[in-house]
Amino acid sequence: ERRERSRRRKGKAEHETSGHEGNKRERDQTRANKNEEKIESGDQLKEKEKALGVKKKKKRRKKVVETSSEPETSEDGDDEEEVNNDGEVRPELLSPEELEKLKEAVDEKKKLIQSLRGKPWPMKQKLVTLRESQLFVEKYEGALGKGKGRKLYAYKVMMTKKWMKFQRDFENFKIACIPWEMKIKEIESHFGSSVASYFIFLRWMYGINMILFSLTFGLVMVPEALMGRAYGSIPRKTVPRAEEAGAMDFAVLWDFGGYAQYSVLFYGYYNNQRAIGWFKFRMPLSYFLVGVGTVAYSYMVVIRTMARNANESGIGDDNSFNFSWKMFTSWDYLIGNPETADNKFASITTSFKEAILEEQESRKDDNIHLTRFLRVLANFLVLCCLAGSGYLIYFVVRRSQKFALDGLENHTWWERNEVNMVMSLLGMFCPMLFDVISTLENYHPRVALQWQLGRIFALFLGNLYTFIIALMDAINLKRKEEKVVKYNITMWEATLYNGTGSENSTAPPITIHPADVPRGPCWETMVGQEFVRLIISDTMTTYITLLIGDFLRAVLVRFLNHCWCWDLEAGFPSYSEFDVSGNVLGLIFNQGMIWMGAFYAPCLPALNLLRLHVSMYLQCWAVMCCNVPQERVFKASGSNNFYMAMLLVILFLSTLPAIYTIVTIPPSFDCGPFSGKNRMFDVIQETLESDFPAWFSKVFSYASNPGLVLPFILLMVLAIYYLQSTSKSYKEANVELKKKLQMVIQRLDNF
Amino acid sequence: MGTTASQLAKDSLSEYQELTFLTKQEILLAHRRFTELLDRDERNHPNPRVPMEVILTLPELKSNPFKTRICQVFSTSEDKDGSLTFEDFLDLLSAFSDSATLEIKSHYAFRIFDFDDDGTLDCGDLEKLVNCLTGETEDTRLSSEEMRQLINNILDESDIDKDGTVNLSEFQHVISRSPDFVSSFKIVL
């Protein structure tokens, strides 16, 4: 009766009453219903139970969020009538609408249970609500099913419960599977989230490479190894007689020649047989599709991550809350190390002081002309550097081609590996040079960092493309050679047959050992080999720099400090800081090289996987052992999308050369899965014609008609333009609304 | 309710999973770390309560400038002394976990920054907040002139109704647009 109405339930809470959160519990009002007796737990029943013949029902909206907090006046109860105080709800007695309402109530209770974890209540309160709601649901859910379709309903309910449990277990399992969580957490607590973000990025890259590896390994390397023809059966799979002597030498293997070259690791080994094995695995088709698929997958993953980051950060470059953000969000709660905490305090203080200063006085640019001149000079120097490094690489590649023509054995180790070493050394020293030059420019540190990153990016890009151009020259050379070899082979075959009789004779065919057949220069394998060598030398350089630059330096500073004139730890050189942006860039470019070379050397993703695995452990150890926390701590988040954007650009730029070679250069005549075809993508045409029903290829030929493709492209461009302009107008509307809000509130205040 | 001895009952475990953002492993780990903080005799107590000084020895909280406020906000003790039961501890970890929503994090952040517990952030609260952030030593503190300027700037930006204080909705409005908040407001055991 009335007394029940006047009892408050601790059930729903209310958000956003005027700031009376704090330790008061929000109670909700339930218009309690008269005829209810208690549920076992002794709490009040909800209104739906009133379904027992109550004449007037006040509909209570069981919205979880805002329920009005009307005072518990007795006006609620006045209208209610006394109803039979009978306890149990008999669902059979209920009319269909009442059944419906009961079902609604049960659903709302379920929703409440789902949303409980997001409520800012103490655990006790949540537990009470949970148990109540669960009891209610159990009690009435089974009952609801009576009558028609009861068994089905009960079954559905049980399946939903099982499904939710399964989902929860699966989530737990997925989280437990994430590798290196503890390591990263340790680094986070010591160094803060910006250094940890590099390792999280590394782990993400590892995941991508794992997928790429499984694609190339499972669909390309394994089928050829298991079901293709064995080593030594056909010429392309055998080490030529001339190279046999040195094929097992370690030096040759390290260079990926000898037995390593004539294996599933490289393009040249694959046979162009259309279907292999007992279930007719289409090898050339699979090779081509895996190549395309790796690129497509990478695009998809990168773009999806970018979109997700963009969503989460909202309109991230909003500058209207500068100070508030510095105040409320600058502390990194993951920091567990006192030294890092001190650094963080210092950096927060500096950033406050700076921001206040900037706000107070406008920048008095004293001597703006000198600054401008210095900046122009700095950019000019940087351009000279870039041009110089590009030329150096070109020169070195030409030289190495000359060496190759003379035969590799006549040269020293340095001369053989010149290209790779030069590229790696440039990658190591030029950024330091850029750093020195940038002191001329006198920018704000964050702006200077962006300039630095941009320049390193340009450096790596320039080097890579020079390398590719030089590679193109080498390819053309090999193709010319191929023509010569083809001609020679016809001559050689003619002599063979002539030697054993006339051409019309029925003499048994001559068996020639595959190692003796003259071989064409396989330019695709050469490209693959170049990339593999580049990656290996890059890896070696990185690790050696790490060991010398960080570890050795730390050891020297630590132990020589006792006997040195000045304090090594505080002054020069002191311990090194972890260079997040440099490392991230290195990782991105490494990945770009993988994407470029993966088509010609299916072993590249496997190699990269190994490299990333080792890097993770090595760098984790190095960072904990030799580095100190950074003095200036920057926001990690702003750079996240920046790195993704760079990754996307690199992905695009690195797939361009591969696509160019696939589309324009005819494949070698005697090696690889596409040998004998005019162009590599002819394999698609062939598959369409022979493996699919006739109407399929007709449809495709219509679809690839330029008359259809061009309008489609036009349509997509228009759609992009439309979406762009809509998003711009939304942003403007947003700003307008904000202003309106402020005006309205001020006006309200004036009342 | 509560946890007994050194084992967490299975149905309690599933209830806690339902009511917090933590996974099963995290809850078990939290239980283990919590029992390590208790002395022998307290462990058999049905619903042990750990005093604030002991909680603050946890490495995750030790270096945090807001450690006392965090304990006070999550504590359900009658004497407001910042002591935590295991369920309070779970509440704390849930609000600071990776999968917690922005609403719940901003709600608790507001309460943590509200030093005098009056439901709004006024100048006194903001000043204490800045002092917490700039550390203990003299040379890292801001001068009173700078402090005044800073607080004025903050109120300019966040105080929409111009009443001189920042209430919960204004706070949540400011925080929701910050890209860093969710990732920095995190504690992981």
Side-chain angles (χ1 to χ4, degrees):
Chain A
E1 320 203 312
R2 303 285 168 82
R3 61 181 149 82
E4 293 176 8
R5 246 172 281 125
S6 50
R7 274 189 38 206
R8 296 191 178 228
R9 289 193 51 195
K10 330 185 237 173
K12 306 196 189 150
E14 211 166 351
H15 284 258
E16 266 96 334
T17 32
S18 43
H20 287 307
E21 264 81 5
N23 298 329
K24 296 195 212 114
R25 300 258 190 84
E26 256 51 65
R27 322 297 175 62
D28 191 25
Q29 249 333 304
T30 50
R31 322 260 184 108
N33 255 320
K34 16 353 182 128
N35 43 327
E36 299 350 343
E37 54 348 307
K38 351 272 180 200
I39 307 195
E40 294 76 279
S41 60
D43 273 319
Q44 323 217 45
L45 258 180
K46 274 118 262 153
E47 70 172 17
K48 305 307 183 201
E49 298 220 283
K50 73 197 185 285
L52 288 192
V54 168
K55 318 290 173 18
K56 218 125 71 95
K57 312 172 190 153
K58 291 235 166 94
K59 299 260 184 329
R60 213 168 333 173
R61 319 241 86 222
K62 287 286 179 61
K63 292 275 165 54
V64 173
V65 181
E66 56 287 274
T67 338
S68 51
S69 54
E70 279 134 39
E72 189 107 73
T73 57
S74 38
E75 43 114 342
D76 279 355
D78 288 299
D79 306 328
E80 317 243 268
E81 324 197 28
E82 302 293 312
V83 196
N84 29 350
N85 312 322
D86 205 9
E88 289 298 314
V89 181
R90 299 250 160 57
E92 303 89 63
L93 302 181
L94 300 178
S95 64
E97 320 90 57
E98 289 160 346
L99 206 61
E100 210 31 60
K101 286 192 202 111
L102 189 57
K103 209 184 219 175
E104 250 179 54
V106 168
D107 280 337
E108 288 182 23
K109 275 293 168 197
K110 282 201 214 155
K111 260 193 260 166
L112 173 62
I113 294 180
Q114 298 281 21
S115 68
L116 263 181
R117 52 163 74 109
K119 290 205 185 292
W121 299 341
M123 183 66 86
K124 258 203 205 82
Q125 191 179 354
K126 287 196 274 192
L127 271 172
V128 164
T129 321
L130 178 73
R131 287 176 184 158
E132 240 173 57
S133 315
Q134 277 177 338
L135 276 167
F136 180 82
V137 166
E138 263 170 39
K139 179 172 174 195
Y140 290 103
E141 201 160 36
L144 264 185
K146 291 209 173 69
K148 17 190 161 172
R150 163 213 180 172
K151 281 218 173 42
L152 186 64
Y153 186 75
Y155 177 72
K156 257 199 304 189
V157 159
M158 188 192 70
M159 287 316 285
T160 328
K161 268 199 245 193
K162 278 211 181 347
W163 173 247
M164 283 185 37
K165 177 161 191 320
F166 170 74
Q167 269 187 326
R168 208 194 309 156
D169 285 340
F170 186 64
E171 281 299 321
N172 280 353
F173 172 70
K174 262 202 315 191
I175 293 190
C177 269
I178 297 180
W180 302 313
E181 194 64 28
M182 279 289 111
K183 266 200 189 346
I184 294 188
K185 192 230 144 194
E186 214 187 321
I187 293 182
E188 257 173 342
S189 87
H190 266 87
F191 292 92
S193 44
S194 64
V195 170
S197 73
Y198 165 73
F199 288 97
I200 294 177
F201 188 64
L202 180 63
R203 187 173 62 185
W204 181 75
M205 279 278 171
Y206 184 79
I208 294 187
N209 277 291
M210 178 74 88
I211 307 270
L212 295 185
F213 164 71
S214 58
L215 276 178
T216 50
F217 189 69
L219 292 177
V220 170
M221 289 169 80
V222 163
E224 183 71 22
L226 291 182
M227 298 188 289
R229 307 188 61 176
Y231 172 83
S233 53
I234 43 178
R236 69 184 66 176
K237 296 197 182 211
T238 330
V239 177
R241 191 68 74 184
E243 296 175 20
E244 234 174 51
M248 256 318 236
D249 291 348
F250 180 73
V252 171
L253 283 182
W254 181 257
D255 249 355
F256 286 88
Y259 284 116
Q261 183 176 348
Y262 296 95
S263 69
V264 281
L265 299 181
F266 290 101
Y267 175 98
Y269 184 81
Y270 293 83
N271 197 8
N272 67 341
Q273 191 177 350
R274 207 169 137 259
I276 55 178
W278 54 270
F279 62 93
K280 302 277 178 255
F281 187 77
R282 306 270 192 270
M283 190 67 219
L285 182 68
S286 150
Y287 195 98
F288 190 77
L289 287 181
V290 162
V292 170
T294 48
V295 171
Y297 172 74
S298 311
Y299 267 112
M300 200 187 73
V301 164
V302 173
I303 292 184
R304 189 178 64 182
T305 316
M306 278 185 81
R308 207 184 298 156
N309 281 348
N311 269 346
E312 275 173 13
S313 64
I315 314 174
D317 32 292
D318 203 345
N319 258 331
S320 47
F321 293 121
N322 222 357
F323 281 100
S324 312
W325 285 349
K326 277 208 216 300
M327 179 87 126
F328 298 132
T329 67
S330 55
W331 182 259
D332 195 351
Y333 287 71
L334 284 166
I335 292 180
N337 184 19
E339 191 187 324
T340 320
D342 287 337
N343 272 350
K344 190 77 174 156
F345 286 139
S347 105
I348 291 179
T349 314
T350 323
S351 93
F352 272 147
K353 294 198 175 167
E354 263 177 23
I356 297 176
L357 226 55
E358 267 180 51
E359 181 81 9
Q360 265 179 358
E361 47 175 274
S362 54
R363 273 271 159 89
K364 311 181 253 191
D365 254 338
D366 39 0
N367 224 345
I368 191 171
H369 296 292
L370 181 64
T371 325
R372 280 213 198 118
F373 170 71
L374 282 177
R375 286 179 187 171
V376 167
L377 179 65
N379 280 322
F380 177 70
L381 286 174
V382 164
L383 277 174
C384 287
C385 258
L386 290 176
S389 82
Y391 177 70
L392 188 61
I393 292 182
Y394 189 75
F395 173 72
V396 162
V397 170
R398 293 300 249 164
R399 228 160 75 108
S400 83
Q401 281 168 3
K402 235 181 341 144
F403 291 157
L405 286 176
D406 297 345
L408 285 174
E409 315 76 43
N410 304 342
H411 300 279
T412 64
W413 175 87
W414 171 261
E415 280 164 347
R416 262 180 285 158
N417 289 314
E418 219 174 15
V419 180
N420 306 325
M421 294 315 296
V422 165
M423 279 187 75
S424 310
L425 286 175
L426 275 177
M428 219 166 60
F429 286 117
C430 281
M432 290 192 233
L433 199 59
F434 291 156
D435 220 354
V436 168
I437 293 180
S438 73
T439 53
L440 277 178
E441 290 180 328
N442 203 17
Y443 278 126
H444 182 272
R446 186 172 303 157
V447 176
L449 183 69
Q450 285 177 345
W451 273 98
Q452 176 79 346
L453 286 179
R455 286 178 184 144
I456 300 182
F457 187 76
L459 173 76
F460 280 156
L461 209 58
N463 290 353
L464 208 56
Y465 264 72
T466 321
F467 178 74
I468 288 172
I469 292 176
L471 215 59
M472 285 298 197
D473 280 346
I475 292 179
N476 285 332
L477 222 67
K478 288 248 151 133
R479 287 179 59 205
K480 284 201 202 91
E481 209 182 303
E482 195 179 333
K483 285 205 191 74
V484 173
V485 169
K486 254 197 192 152
Y487 177 73
N488 282 345
I489 283 187
T490 42
M491 293 273 98
W492 173 83
E493 273 181 355
T495 51
L496 269 184
Y497 280 108
N498 275 347
T500 54
S502 73
E503 289 173 10
N504 293 341
S505 74
T506 48
I510 314 262
T511 39
I512 313 243
H513 193 269
D516 292 321
V517 175
R519 224 66 81 60
C522 197
W523 63 263
E524 296 97 341
T525 306
M526 176 205 65
V527 169
Q529 277 175 321
E530 286 296 319
F531 274 109
V532 172
R533 287 191 199 126
L534 187 62
I535 300 231
I536 300 250
S537 73
D538 196 48
T539 313
M540 291 289 122
T541 322
T542 315
Y543 290 164
I544 293 182
T545 326
L546 187 75
L547 284 177
I548 296 185
D550 282 356
F551 182 60
L552 212 59
R553 176 171 161 178
V555 162
L556 284 176
V557 168
R558 184 79 178 289
F559 291 118
L560 285 186
N561 208 11
H562 303 298
C563 44
W564 205 260
C565 359
W566 70 86
D567 188 357
L568 283 174
E569 282 182 2
F572 178 82
S574 85
Y575 299 106
S576 50
E577 291 180 355
F578 187 77
D579 179 16
V580 179
S581 45
N583 274 305
V584 171
L585 269 185
L587 206 60
I588 292 179
F589 270 94
N590 175 53
Q591 191 62 35
M593 292 197 272
I594 300 289
W595 279 321
M596 245 193 265
F599 189 75
Y600 296 112
C603 65
L604 269 181
L607 213 64
N608 201 31
L609 205 66
L610 189 64
R611 174 211 157 113
L612 286 177
H613 205 98
V614 172
S615 280
M616 180 57 136
Y617 286 106
L618 193 64
Q619 283 186 311
C620 275
W621 165 79
V623 101
M624 294 297 291
C625 160
C626 324
N627 288 19
V628 288
Q630 293 164 317
E631 287 190 356
R632 286 214 75 131
V633 191
F634 289 121
K635 279 199 308 201
S637 67
S639 340
N640 245 349
N641 246 9
F642 177 62
Y643 292 137
M644 282 294 147
M646 274 210 295
L647 195 62
L648 192 64
V649 169
I650 290 284
L651 174 58
F652 178 67
L653 291 176
S654 48
T655 47
L656 276 185
I659 293 179
Y660 173 74
T661 51
I662 291 177
V663 166
T664 52
I665 307 185
S668 301
F669 74 97
D670 71 339
C671 68
F674 307 114
S675 59
K677 299 205 189 5
N678 198 16
R679 288 278 185 276
M680 293 186 191
F681 52 81
D682 283 345
V683 69
I684 302 272
Q685 189 74 7
E686 224 183 73
T687 318
L688 279 181
E689 280 168 7
S690 38
D691 285 333
F692 282 103
W695 53 266
F696 212 81
S697 58
K698 226 196 257 180
V699 166
F700 252 89
S701 66
Y702 287 153
S704 57
N705 187 1
L708 207 60
V709 169
L710 282 178
F712 184 66
I713 293 183
L714 211 61
L715 199 68
M716 288 207 292
V717 169
L718 285 176
I720 291 178
Y721 179 68
Y722 170 73
L723 289 173
Q724 171 93 325
S725 51
T726 338
S727 107
K728 214 189 300 185
S729 69
Y730 282 153
K731 278 201 192 132
E732 284 168 9
N734 222 3
V735 172
E736 285 299 319
L737 282 174
K738 245 195 263 182
K739 285 199 213 135
K740 249 196 214 168
L741 186 69
Q742 291 199 333
M743 266 187 356
V744 164
I745 292 187
Q746 277 180 349
R747 230 181 279 157
L748 279 179
D749 265 354
N750 293 340
F751 274 133
Chain B
M1 284 251 213
T3 62
T4 52
S6 43
Q7 272 298 69
L8 198 50
K10 200 149 185 278
D11 44 353
S12 306
L13 185 60
S14 71
E15 280 177 345
Y16 292 145
Q17 265 193 294
E18 193 69 47
L19 292 176
T20 63
F21 290 101
L22 305 170
T23 64
K24 190 161 86 154
Q25 296 95 318
E26 289 171 346
I27 297 177
L28 290 171
L29 176 64
H31 183 67
R32 204 182 62 211
R33 296 286 295 274
F34 190 78
T35 31
E36 280 168 10
L37 293 175
L38 301 168
D39 340 319
R40 294 284 129 186
D41 37 335
E42 278 180 341
R43 283 187 196 178
N44 294 322
H45 198 270
N47 200 11
R49 191 172 271 283
V50 176
M52 184 160 75
E53 308 76 44
V54 181
I55 294 274
L56 295 185
T57 59
L58 280 173
E60 287 84 5
L61 286 180
K62 211 163 39 163
S63 315
N64 198 317
F66 300 111
K67 51 193 179 209
T68 23
R69 274 306 293 164
I70 292 178
C71 288
Q72 284 168 348
V73 162
F74 285 98
S75 162
T76 51
S77 81
E78 306 293 329
D79 358 315
K80 307 275 181 268
D81 60 355
S83 56
L84 299 181
T85 63
F86 177 62
E87 291 177 348
D88 300 335
F89 191 57
L90 277 186
D91 271 334
L92 193 158
L93 291 175
S94 169
F96 277 102
S97 84
D98 211 357
S99 17
T101 58
L102 179 68
E103 291 77 35
I104 219 185
K105 282 190 194 256
S106 53
H107 179 95
Y108 278 113
F110 184 77
R111 283 175 60 184
I112 290 174
F113 295 149
D114 188 9
F115 284 82
D116 49 9
D117 267 332
D118 63 353
T120 60
L121 301 180
D122 54 15
C123 291
D125 292 327
L126 292 176
E127 195 170 324
K128 281 205 206 101
L129 182 55
V130 174
N131 282 335
C132 272
L133 281 175
T134 52
E136 302 303 305
T137 59
E138 269 318 303
D139 49 342
T140 51
R141 291 206 161 196
L142 298 184
S143 71
S144 53
E145 174 65 34
E146 290 169 331
M147 178 77 75
R148 216 172 31 82
Q149 179 79 14
L150 181 59
I151 292 183
N152 280 339
N153 288 335
I154 291 175
L155 287 177
D156 268 337
E157 288 173 352
S158 331
D159 191 8
I160 300 183
D161 55 3
K162 306 288 175 224
D163 61 352
T165 63
V166 181
N167 62 21
L168 179 65
S169 10
E170 291 163 352
F171 182 78
Q172 285 183 323
H173 176 73
V174 172
I175 287 296
S176 65
R177 309 183 136 291
S178 157
D180 283 325
F181 177 65
V182 176
S183 54
S184 66
F185 199 74
K186 223 182 341 176
I187 292 182
V188 179
L189 273 191

